[in-house]
Amino acid sequence: MPEFAVLHEKPHSFYSLYERKGELQHQTHYCPGCGHGIVHKLVARAIDELGIQNRAILVSPVGCSVFAYYYFDVGNVQVAHGRAPAVATGVKRAHPESIVISYQGDGDLAAIGSAEILHAANRGENITVFFVNNAIYGMTGGQMAPTTLVGQKSTTSPFGRNVWNEGSPIKVCELLNALDAPVYLERVALGSNKQIMAAARAVRRALEVQMRGQGFSLIEVLSPCPTIWKKDPVEAQHWVAEELVKTFPLGVVRDRTKDAPVRPASAAPPALDKIPGILGLEQDDPGPTVGGPAAREPVELAVKVAGFGGQGVLLLGEVLAEAGLASGLQVSWLPSYGPEMRSGTSNCHVRIATRPIASPLVLRPNVLLAMNEPSLRKFLPTVEPHGLVIYNGAACPADCLRPDVTLIAAPFAQLADGLGGARAANIAMLGALLEAAPVPFESQVPNVLRKLVRSPKWLEIDLAALARGRQAARQEVAS
Amino acid sequence: MRRELIKGNEAIVKAAILGGCRAFYGYPITPASEIAEAAALYMPQAGGVFLQAESEVAAINMIYGAASAGVRSMTASSGPGVSLMQEGFSYLAGSELPCVVADIMRGGPGLGNIAPEQGDYHQVVKCGGHGNYRTLVLAPDSVQEMCDLTLLAFDLADTYRNPVVVLADGYIGQMMEPVAFPDAAVMPSAPAWAVTGTAETRRNLVTSIYLEPDVLEAHVRKLEAKYRRAEQDAVRFESRETQDADIVLVGYGIVGRVLKEVVEAARAEGMRVGLLRPISLYPFPTEEIRRLARHAQAFAVVEMSTGQMLDDVRLALEGRRPIEFYSRVGGNVPATDAVLGFVRDALLKHVRAPEVIHA
Amino acid sequence: MKTGDRGRVDLDSEECKGCGLCVEACPPKVLALASHLNRYGYHPATYSGEGCTGCGICYFACPEPGAIVVWRLKAEARPVAQAA
């Protein structure tokens, strides 16, 4: 008796029994003659041959292949319609050693998921995409797909696809070929024995690209859908070979498998005890304790800093808050934000207090630093009686005075300009504040400036401006 | 412990990394962009992944992937972006995947504006996605809480295998306050159910599809039981001066801060006013509100929306006590003086001994 | 089985959905759809019992993962292989 050996059998990467499938656990849920079963088989065989079953993670979104996890004995993630390339990105980046396969249909990939596939391809994600194109929505019962042929009837193109209404079929491989990153793009088909064998080779090659770490590959498989096409399986197969290929020509669209570089491996993660340092939370000095010596006298500063964007309003507030914090006081800093960051008015609310700060908002400041006239006009009425107002101008406008507040006006911008930069006007005004109000944290201000102002040139100007501002306030108070 | 003066949005990222988060996928949007920016700076240095996605839809699905792979992961956005993420929340909850989402609320509807508002309460707390699911929601009112509640959010996400939203507003995100971060970083091991591309996890499956009605019902009941458990175990709130309060103010986030000032000012005037600040918006402190209703004669809800959390207070009280409502929207924040006036009126209207106001 | 066949094919009639793609694909045309129905109501593919070349093409044409097993004559059993 001649001895025979198994040449081809069910790949090991399939479950022997499909226990996740409720009934008929020995056969797939696909219709007779459906191309999905063949593509599944080609993928599973390639996984077997390449020895990657344990590393493989299959991402299956909505479509007839939504239940791919019934069959594939690999890690499985089932996802939303069209989002497989995004999910695959998250999986692959978490585990670069895994082999991530995105298995998608035409509605999924080329319609609702068109953004996700385009950008995953453009990033050169090191994943493999198997794109099953049967030119129709199968699962939902035969609606038009983005790949439906011109003139082809579907339940949502009952008169045939009309280019003037629905546009032309999307050629995914050619579209992705416009991008720099993809390594390997090929369109294959299941229309004949020869085409199926070419598809098997392409499937395997695409997985090898990922195994080598080269990046993105996509195999588009023209696949029969006999049920929805209303053809018997053999006719459907012929239709793939004779009709689909006219719109979607077969062949390699992109092949950089020989020269595409291997994506650089990410560096080993730092040890856990290095993390606080990486985040800038290294505890060089323990810093002041809350309620320290500086807090003996009650402080309750509610500062509004206001001016134009670019005048250093936010920085001035930050210096105040940092200095308060360095003295062991409670602080808060709240900016106006948004368009104001780019142009127009800018202001921030700073509170510095001995007791915990209830609200960080300063609607009734007891200190107003107004860096221009509109800010002075806007906020002067809100200042608490007996408050302090420092104004960046030679003198307050005559119609802009309040007898119940202390007003200090000086041309801080000009003073700063004389020191090397009008932009230091904010720090000159801070100097004036330190001079005019008994704040317990003034000694911290130079240290804070050293911390926040990185440029040695500007630090020098700022420190000079601080002194000049103080001098201006002394003169102003004396006058 | 040294305290860092830091922006709320930045504190979230540092806390997340200290808490073991190693994946951030996001799309920039004001006023949440500093979160993505800080993640872009720190995540790669910490050995994690930062990726600016092509959209919020993609970002939340990348999170789905990272969470499936067992990595602590997060994203951040604001109203319009969170609307786009609703699909993802439903799938994440359905697939029982943990993750943290920071929503730094801005003005709406539509493009609205970029000033702070609290108009995302419905879409986040009541869940804008499809199906029977909930997201756990934490509402910080300070930068310290941006840190603390982010850390808590990761733990809750793992405990309940569910998305957790840190719901803040533009002010909490943008303001700077001192924060004491934890001294040490932690890194929980990947959960056993994750799909990691190894022999041990090969049979693992992440999915939200249950075709058989009975099977899906069992799954939904399982989720429901989880949420009931959270309602027992995960309620958080802050109470101030509620013990003898005639009227209890209810507000969260930045409004909670304003109300703290209002309570101080009201007490200074002799009004018996207290504050209940929900910290967990889901689960909502329903029982605490009912408990307070035994003594308080009225409740006053203050919100930067036209009355979204108000519904939950109504449901908690079930008509036991009258509720007054004060709101500002469009990016306006309730002013202390204005709320104080509203509280005076509410006291006069509902409290049987108005002379206490002048005591 | 006829002696001298290089191959053999096993068809699982209960897994088969009777699509006929293997019949169409088979080069020596030794597969056919049975006249009887299997328990799911399909005419399953059957092997005539002789003439299989062991080419394996039916295996690739078949959409069911485990419906077809293809066997090939072991190399040592072949006279040529023995000579080598």
Side-chain angles (χ1 to χ4, degrees):
Chain A
M1 236 359 229
E3 280 188 66
F4 286 85
V6 169
L7 177 67
H8 298 303
E9 62 180 340
K10 187 175 181 177
H12 298 297
S13 298
F14 283 126
Y15 287 113
S16 51
L17 197 65
Y18 309 132
E19 290 176 7
R20 286 170 175 160
K21 193 165 175 276
E23 49 194 17
L24 307 183
Q25 295 186 347
H26 62 283
Q27 61 175 212
T28 66
H29 68 288
Y30 297 115
C31 305
C34 171
H36 276 302
I38 298 173
V39 182
H40 281 21
K41 193 185 286 187
L42 302 184
V43 173
R45 268 178 67 89
I47 291 172
D48 281 6
E49 289 169 8
L50 297 169
I52 53 174
Q53 186 184 7
N54 287 334
R55 292 162 65 194
I57 298 175
L58 184 65
V59 183
S60 44
V62 174
C64 286
S65 58
V66 67
F67 296 118
Y69 64 84
Y70 284 174
Y71 312 116
F72 284 91
D73 183 4
V74 301
N76 275 287
V77 181
Q78 187 278 312
V79 306
H81 199 20
R83 317 300 177 213
V87 175
T89 297
V91 172
K92 182 70 179 185
R93 301 264 185 136
H95 297 293
E97 289 307 306
S98 62
I99 301 296
V100 179
I101 299 165
S102 177
Y103 188 109
Q104 303 181 253
D106 43 44
D108 186 85
L109 182 140
I112 194 168
S114 52
E116 284 78 8
I117 191 65
L118 190 75
H119 286 269
N122 190 50
R123 291 189 301 267
E125 292 296 339
N126 191 25
I127 61 172
T128 306
V129 181
F130 297 120
F131 166 40
V132 178
N133 177 4
N134 55 21
I136 201 80
Y137 282 71
M139 186 197 212
T140 48
Q143 296 81 16
M144 194 196 74
T147 52
T148 292
L149 304 187
V150 174
Q152 186 183 342
K153 288 181 179 172
S154 74
T155 60
T156 51
S157 58
F159 307 107
R161 182 178 188 151
N162 175 350
V163 292
W164 300 111
N165 198 48
E166 290 96 14
S168 297
I170 292 180
K171 298 179 180 69
V172 169
C173 283
E174 289 79 357
L175 191 69
L176 299 184
N177 195 32
L179 306 173
D180 288 343
V183 175
Y184 175 42
L185 305 168
E186 181 169 356
R187 184 179 292 117
V188 297
L190 306 179
S192 68
N193 296 344
K194 203 176 149 198
Q195 287 179 352
I196 293 170
M197 298 317 290
R201 287 190 293 275
V203 164
R204 185 182 156 129
R205 284 192 76 202
L207 288 169
E208 286 171 337
V209 167
Q210 181 177 175
M211 290 172 72
R212 286 194 295 271
Q214 288 178 298
F216 185 88
S217 57
L218 177 141
I219 304 301
E220 177 175 346
V221 185
L222 304 183
S223 176
C225 180
T227 302
I228 302 291
W229 292 354
K230 299 186 175 64
K231 297 182 192 303
D232 76 40
V234 173
E235 282 172 8
Q237 192 181 45
H238 292 164
W239 201 71
V240 170
E242 289 154 19
E243 293 300 322
L244 273 185
V245 297
K246 288 182 192 160
T247 298
F248 302 107
L250 301 185
V252 173
V253 176
R254 160 87 56 96
D255 186 354
R256 292 182 183 161
T257 54
K258 287 204 172 58
D259 50 1
V262 170
R263 292 168 70 95
S266 46
L272 219 45
D273 61 5
K274 301 281 184 231
I275 295 294
I278 287 166
L279 299 176
L281 302 173
E282 208 100 77
Q283 313 290 304
D284 298 341
D285 70 281
T289 45
V290 183
R296 268 184 228 132
E297 278 185 49
V299 180
E300 186 129 15
L301 279 177
V303 184
K304 173 73 69 73
V305 188
F308 288 135
Q311 284 188 308
V313 165
L314 302 185
L315 178 67
L316 171 47
E318 190 176 348
V319 173
L320 273 171
E322 283 277 11
L325 177 66
S327 304
L329 293 162
Q330 308 281 354
V331 301
S332 67
W333 174 94
L334 179 71
S336 64
Y337 61 87
E340 296 92 337
M341 282 161 66
R342 286 136 219 157
S343 63
T345 60
S346 168
N347 66 73
C348 73
H349 311 222
V350 178
R351 283 190 187 266
I352 302 172
T354 326
R355 351 178 267 139
I357 292 163
S359 170
L361 277 93
V362 176
L363 301 180
R364 293 202 329 226
N366 56 25
V367 174
L368 170 65
L369 303 175
M371 300 197 66
N372 58 31
E373 191 183 316
S375 299
L376 180 71
R377 289 186 181 279
K378 185 171 179 187
F379 293 114
L380 183 64
T382 68
V383 176
E384 289 272 19
H386 314 298
L388 171 65
V389 176
I390 299 177
Y391 172 55
N392 177 28
C396 286
D399 60 341
C400 211
L401 296 169
R402 264 182 62 179
D404 61 334
V405 301
T406 305
L407 267 164
I408 295 176
F412 293 102
Q414 278 100 306
L415 299 180
D417 203 30
L419 299 168
R423 271 164 55 200
N426 57 345
I427 304 301
M429 291 179 74
L430 174 61
L433 169 62
L434 299 184
E435 189 65 32
V439 288
F441 51 80
E442 59 171 289
S443 64
Q444 297 290 346
V445 170
N447 292 338
V448 170
L449 284 173
R450 280 181 201 103
K451 177 180 158 188
L452 295 180
V453 181
R454 296 288 158 88
S455 146
K457 179 193 152 202
W458 276 104
L459 178 62
E460 196 182 323
I461 294 171
D462 280 341
L463 289 171
L466 193 69
R468 188 69 187 82
R470 287 193 145 210
Q471 188 193 0
R474 271 198 300 277
Q475 289 165 350
E476 178 72 358
V477 172
S479 65
Chain B
M1 185 61 194
R2 194 173 71 156
R3 301 184 308 157
E4 298 281 327
L5 187 68
I6 187 170
K7 262 194 178 193
N9 281 345
E10 204 182 334
I12 281 186
V13 174
K14 291 191 178 186
I17 292 174
L18 288 169
C21 175
R22 289 297 181 275
F24 186 100
Y25 295 92
Y27 190 86
I29 182 169
T30 305
S33 292
E34 292 88 353
I35 303 178
E37 289 164 359
L41 179 63
Y42 294 118
M43 205 53 98
Q45 297 183 64
V49 176
F50 169 83
L51 184 62
Q52 182 169 322
E54 58 270 27
S55 69
E56 288 88 351
V57 176
I60 197 71
N61 279 284
M62 290 169 181
I63 293 294
Y64 185 102
S68 298
V71 176
R72 281 194 160 183
S73 48
M74 83 174 293
T75 186
S77 191
S78 184
V82 173
S83 300
L84 284 172
M85 290 183 181
Q86 292 295 346
E87 170 194 279
F89 294 166
S90 172
Y91 278 81
L92 285 155
S95 298
E96 295 194 86
L97 292 173
C99 71
V100 174
V101 180
D103 177 2
I104 311 300
M105 290 182 283
R106 57 186 257 176
L111 214 45
N113 65 24
I114 55 173
E117 210 186 60
Q118 294 181 325
D120 288 2
Y121 189 94
H122 275 165
Q123 73 157 335
V124 169
V125 179
K126 300 299 177 184
C127 297
H130 60 285
N132 290 288
Y133 78 96
R134 303 299 303 253
T135 49
L136 276 63
V137 186
L138 301 171
D141 84 334
S142 66
V143 181
Q144 182 66 55
E145 279 195 351
M146 288 290 249
C147 165
D148 298 346
L149 296 184
T150 298
L151 286 163
L152 175 66
F154 279 103
D155 288 340
L156 289 176
D158 281 350
T159 300
Y160 293 97
R161 284 186 62 180
N162 201 75
V164 179
V165 180
V166 175
L167 185 67
D169 57 72
Y171 269 161
I172 304 284
Q174 296 291 325
M175 72 188 194
M176 286 201 287
E177 285 182 325
V179 173
F181 286 95
D183 286 321
V186 296
M187 177 53 72
S189 50
W193 50 259
V195 178
T196 64
T198 58
E200 297 73 40
T201 65
R202 198 180 83 203
R203 296 272 161 109
N204 286 350
L205 165 67
V206 171
T207 188
S208 65
I209 188 169
Y210 298 90
L211 220 49
E212 288 295 323
D214 286 345
V215 179
L216 180 57
E217 181 169 41
H219 176 65
V220 171
R221 296 293 177 207
K222 181 186 163 202
L223 299 184
E224 185 188 21
K226 213 164 63 168
Y227 301 135
R228 293 289 97 81
R229 188 156 52 86
E231 285 167 12
Q232 291 300 312
D233 301 341
V235 174
R236 280 179 169 73
F237 56 84
E238 180 188 5
S239 265
R240 282 209 176 176
E241 315 255 14
T242 49
Q243 212 56 36
D244 64 341
D246 293 319
I247 189 160
V248 173
L249 307 180
V250 187
Y252 72 96
I254 190 71
V255 171
R257 297 293 291 272
V258 173
L259 295 185
K260 285 173 184 176
E261 199 168 72
V262 169
V263 169
E264 282 178 12
R267 288 274 167 179
E269 290 184 21
M271 295 187 274
R272 290 207 297 258
V273 173
L275 165 66
L276 178 76
R277 177 174 70 89
I279 294 174
S280 59
L281 296 176
Y282 180 80
F284 196 70
T286 302
E287 287 308 316
E288 178 64 10
I289 287 178
R290 287 181 186 160
R291 199 184 67 77
L292 293 174
R294 282 190 231 137
H295 302 289
Q297 296 180 45
F299 286 73
V301 176
V302 181
E303 251 185 294
M304 282 152 61
S305 81
T306 52
Q308 300 195 10
M309 183 190 67
L310 176 62
D311 290 347
D312 277 328
V313 179
R314 281 190 183 130
L315 287 170
L317 285 170
E318 289 177 321
R320 288 175 175 86
R321 290 287 181 269
I323 305 174
E324 292 295 326
F325 180 59
Y326 182 89
S327 95
R328 294 301 304 270
V329 291
N332 289 308
V333 180
T336 302
D337 290 351
V339 179
L340 200 56
F342 156 75
V343 171
R344 278 193 207 102
D345 293 346
L347 270 169
L348 283 168
K349 187 168 161 192
H350 296 293
V351 176
R352 265 164 271 143
E355 65 272 18
V356 75
I357 293 167
H358 309 291
Chain C
M1 177 185 305
K2 198 171 129 185
T3 51
D5 280 351
R6 281 174 290 151
R8 206 182 90 200
V9 57
D10 292 344
L11 301 165
D12 182 340
S13 67
E14 291 309 306
E15 189 160 341
C16 178
K17 291 172 178 163
C19 71
L21 289 176
C22 60
V23 176
E24 174 78 5
C26 177
K29 299 295 171 200
V30 295
L31 303 179
L33 293 183
S35 54
H36 71 272
L37 298 174
N38 67 11
R39 66 181 164 122
Y40 305 117
Y42 298 121
H43 293 284
T46 53
Y47 173 40
S48 67
E50 56 185 274
C52 176
T53 63
C55 70
I57 282 172
C58 57
Y59 170 88
F60 287 96
C62 174
E64 281 302 309
I68 297 182
V69 179
V70 177
W71 302 73
R72 191 175 273 179
L73 199 61
K74 275 192 177 174
E76 62 267 28
R78 294 182 197 170
V80 177
Q82 279 170 348

